[in-house]
Amino acid sequence: MPQISVVVPVYNEEESLPELTLWISRVMHDHGFSYELIFINDGSTDDSWGIIYSLSHRYNEVKGINFTRNYGKSAALDAGFKKACGDVVITMDADLQDSPNEIPGLYVLIMEGKFDVVSGWKKERHDPLGKTIPSRFFNGVTRWISGIKLHDFNCGLKAYRLKVVKNIQIYGEMHRYIPLLAKWNGFSKIGEKVVQHQSRKYGYSKFGIERFLNGFLDLISVSFVHRYKKKPMHFFGFLGSFSFLAGFIITCWLIFEKVYGLSKGYKVREITDQPLFFLALVALIIGVQLFVTGFIAELMTSNQSKETEYKIDEEINFDF
């Protein structure tokens, strides 16, 4: 079993792969680490898979997974985590902006610092303001909502204890929130390390400004799912009860008001002529609908599929 598994998602990075592999190999050998390097080709349209294939013949440590099409970074990391077997799992981007020189320090923090997760913090970034300012705002909101005191949730350079990656499942665009997923699965020892951020040497960034909007939507989604996925009735049932109770109280008040007025000989309006009647009716209907939604969600949760949402075309150097 290797000491370190390095998991690298790849999307159109053919130019950087040989240099990255050589750099990682040099760092590992200089520090005497046994390792495996897992590249996940996420539907690249260039020759990235061909480069990975050739590298696997030059380096015994290089392994490859080739997706049938582009599924996204979360799917790539999930596939890599399923195959990783090192004591410590390191993730990094393939564009050479994450420095492999940080690997020994991250390894020590996991093995000797007793952390479950260590996230990189690119304190000094070599990115334009159009990317850094939204990123700081995004990280600030994420810290506030999640309660995890990390400066850079979106840093691709992270280290995990093996049992962490084997006990979480990431999907959609949830790769930004792996520390949050780890915390909710009981791995609460989360640390941070300042890491070097390299200027991009080849190609161009694959991410646009829309990722920040998607990031906020994903944060809301992951917060809801991991709080209520086992008991969705706790969420929908509470809202349904509140809405139904409000409608019932308003209805009782309208009935009481009319009966009391008639008993005193007052002239009273028809209940159906009052706006409160329609408000009560809507509240009652919504309450019932939320209850039904909760029951359906409970049934779906108990019968949810465990299948992955990505398809693998080919694998290299894995033992079967």
Side-chain angles (χ1 to χ4, degrees), residues 30-50:
D30 287 348
H31 290 81
F33 290 131
S34 59
Y35 76 102
E36 62 178 357
L37 175 54
I38 304 173
F39 287 116
I40 305 93
N41 183 43
D42 186 24
S44 297
T45 55
D46 63 3
D47 194 36
S48 291
W49 181 242

Side-chain angles (χ1 to χ4, degrees), residues 116-117 141-148 153 160 163-164 167-171 174 176-190 215-230:
D116 295 316
V117 180
V141 173
T142 306
R143 278 195 302 273
W144 174 62
I145 293 177
S146 69
I148 300 176
F153 282 84
Y160 309 89
K163 64 181 180 180
V164 175
N167 285 280
I168 61 173
Q169 183 176 12
I170 51 178
Y171 56 92
M174 300 304 183
R176 302 177 180 91
Y177 306 112
I178 298 180
L180 184 55
L181 298 178
K183 178 183 176 182
W184 280 335
N185 281 277
F187 304 105
S188 58
K189 296 179 181 178
I190 300 173
F216 287 119
L217 297 176
D218 291 336
L219 179 59
I220 295 171
S221 176
V222 74
S223 298
F224 175 81
V225 167
H226 281 269
R227 287 178 183 174
Y228 301 107
K229 70 175 181 179
K230 296 299 183 184

Side-chain angles (χ1 to χ4, degrees), residues 302-317:
S302 62
N303 294 284
Q304 62 184 346
S305 173
K306 300 298 183 182
E307 294 183 2
T308 56
E309 55 184 24
Y310 50 83
K311 302 298 181 183
I312 296 175
D313 179 54
E314 188 178 356
E315 296 181 356
I316 299 173
N317 277 356

Side-chain angles (χ1 to χ4, degrees), residues 51-162:
I51 299 296
I52 294 170
Y53 191 85
S54 64
L55 288 171
S56 70
H57 288 82
R58 292 169 52 192
Y59 300 88
N60 293 329
E61 298 85 0
V62 171
K63 303 177 180 181
I65 299 172
N66 187 39
F67 283 173
T68 56
R69 64 172 178 82
N70 179 252
Y71 287 97
K73 190 173 183 178
S74 291
L77 289 175
D78 188 66
F81 287 167
K82 283 182 168 63
K83 294 292 185 180
C85 58
D87 297 326
V88 175
V89 179
I90 307 284
T91 62
M92 62 172 52
D93 295 334
D95 55 13
L96 295 175
Q97 290 194 278
D98 295 331
S99 172
N101 292 335
E102 305 288 351
I103 292 176
L106 292 169
Y107 178 83
V108 169
L109 285 173
I110 294 291
M111 298 303 293
E112 298 181 11
K114 306 301 181 183
F115 287 105
D116 295 316
V117 180
V118 177
S119 180
W121 174 20
K122 298 173 182 177
K123 194 172 183 179
E124 295 184 10
R125 300 188 58 166
H126 299 281
D127 288 322
L129 289 177
K131 189 174 180 180
T132 56
I133 292 178
S135 180
R136 289 176 182 174
F137 177 73
F138 165 78
N139 284 307
V141 173
T142 306
R143 278 195 302 273
W144 174 62
I145 293 177
S146 69
I148 300 176
K149 305 304 181 183
L150 295 179
H151 290 86
D152 192 357
F153 282 84
N154 205 41
C155 179
L157 188 57
K158 290 182 173 68
Y160 309 89
R161 199 174 296 275
L162 181 64

